[in-house]
Amino acid sequence: MPTDAVGRFLAALGPQQQEAVTSRPPQEQQRLAAAWERELASDDELDTLDELSPPAAEAEAARRVMDREG
């Protein structure tokens, strides 16, 4: 399991979204991963989902970031 933010963000994405992110410059990947971490930390709905299924919460936050910033 990846321990850096970009690796964890990529792991939360589907295959097509992973490809879209990895084709971007490293700085952009880091920016998206930071946005993902902020989404996880700031959304109360994701906190509840995280208690039930951490991978589902991470995937939902990743989807939101890609929809908004991707």
Side-chain angles (χ1 to χ4, degrees), residues 4-69:
D4 68 307
V6 172
R8 291 187 352 264
F9 174 58
L10 289 171
L13 294 170
Q16 288 181 327
Q17 289 177 319
Q18 286 177 352
E19 187 176 318
V21 172
T22 58
S23 67
R24 297 177 186 208
Q27 297 85 355
E28 180 69 6
Q29 293 178 30
Q30 292 171 352
R31 185 187 70 76
L32 289 170
W36 172 71
E37 288 185 319
R38 285 190 303 274
E39 184 76 20
L40 281 170
S42 67
D43 191 300
D44 291 339
E45 288 178 23
L46 290 176
D47 286 344
T48 301
L49 182 57
D50 186 52
E51 292 176 14
L52 301 172
S53 175
E58 291 179 353
E60 175 61 18
R63 183 193 63 76
R64 291 178 184 182
V65 167
M66 293 302 292
D67 285 351
R68 183 176 60 244
E69 301 189 34

